[in-house]
Amino acid sequence: MEKVLTGQVIVVGDNIDTDQIYPGRFLAITDPKEIGSHCLCGVDESIASTFPQGGFVVAGRNFGCGSSREHAPIALLAMGAKAVLADSFARIFFRNAINLGLLPIICKDLHTKVKAGQTLTLDLEHYVVTVQETGESFPCERLGSQAMKILGAGGIKPLMRARFAKKKETQNG
């Protein structure tokens, strides 16, 4: 995983639930591109079509609350989000995001300090977010080493596939 990520932002509020991130009426869709096209339509129908590819979603408190549907982080990834930066996350969304390869970063009050369209730089070595337009920097909470291993592999499934392949190589080797 890159140590420094840069992208434009969209800003959403508090208590964005999984049904707002990816409404249940779209659960039968399997094509990732189409899944991404419906992301956050419960907040605003135009978000997915105007989302800056490789950008960040900046949110308030309790992002990803509601059901445990994995479609929410899948939709965010398919929409082109590199990360979600929020005041806080619902616990199950946070784990699903890591397991599916979406970077969830806790950065208190960031959503009150940035505007849609601004460009952020996220430094994962120092856990600092900088707003390029203003030069302001904000501290973020550090993720644990296991979470970073999972994210670095692209999610829990790719990590486990690599581990099993390595183990099989060692056994046959």
Side-chain angles (χ1 to χ4, degrees):
M1 171 175 277
E2 297 173 56
K3 294 288 183 189
V4 178
L5 304 173
T6 300
Q8 287 186 308
V9 302
I10 64 160
V11 181
V12 297
D14 294 332
N15 300 310
I16 302 299
D17 67 43
T18 54
D19 203 48
Q20 290 173 292
I21 299 167
Y22 194 69
R25 68 183 183 270
F26 301 117
L27 290 176
I29 297 170
T30 58
D31 175 51
K33 187 173 182 176
E34 190 176 351
I35 289 170
S37 75
H38 298 293
C39 189
L40 290 166
C41 72
V43 175
D44 180 335
E45 289 283 339
S46 68
I47 288 177
S49 63
T50 60
F51 187 78
Q53 287 301 298
F56 301 113
V57 174
V58 176
R61 294 171 303 179
N62 204 24
F63 187 84
C65 58
S67 75
S68 62
R69 88 176 44 141
E70 290 179 336
H71 290 75
I74 291 168
L76 288 157
L77 286 165
M79 180 178 70
K82 281 185 188 174
V84 178
L85 297 93
D87 280 12
S88 63
F89 293 91
R91 183 181 170 117
I92 191 74
F93 176 88
F94 188 82
R95 283 308 315 177
N96 282 341
I98 290 168
N99 287 339
L100 291 162
L102 175 66
L103 182 61
I105 297 289
I106 295 174
C107 191
K108 302 274 186 196
D109 297 322
L110 183 65
H111 75 288
T112 65
K113 312 284 188 199
V114 299
K115 295 178 177 81
Q118 287 184 313
T119 301
L120 299 183
T121 299
L122 172 59
D123 179 339
L124 291 172
E125 192 170 337
H126 300 102
Y127 281 84
V128 173
V129 173
T130 303
V131 181
Q132 287 189 354
E133 288 80 0
T134 66
E136 288 181 279
S137 293
F138 304 93
C140 303
E141 290 186 18
R142 186 171 295 276
L143 290 171
S145 62
Q146 186 61 28
M148 290 306 291
K149 283 179 192 172
I150 294 168
L151 288 162
I156 193 75
K157 285 182 182 179
L159 177 70
M160 296 311 294
R161 282 188 195 110
R163 282 187 184 170
F164 289 135
K166 187 175 181 180
K167 186 176 180 180
K168 188 175 181 181
E169 237 178 62
T170 304
Q171 289 173 346
N172 294 335

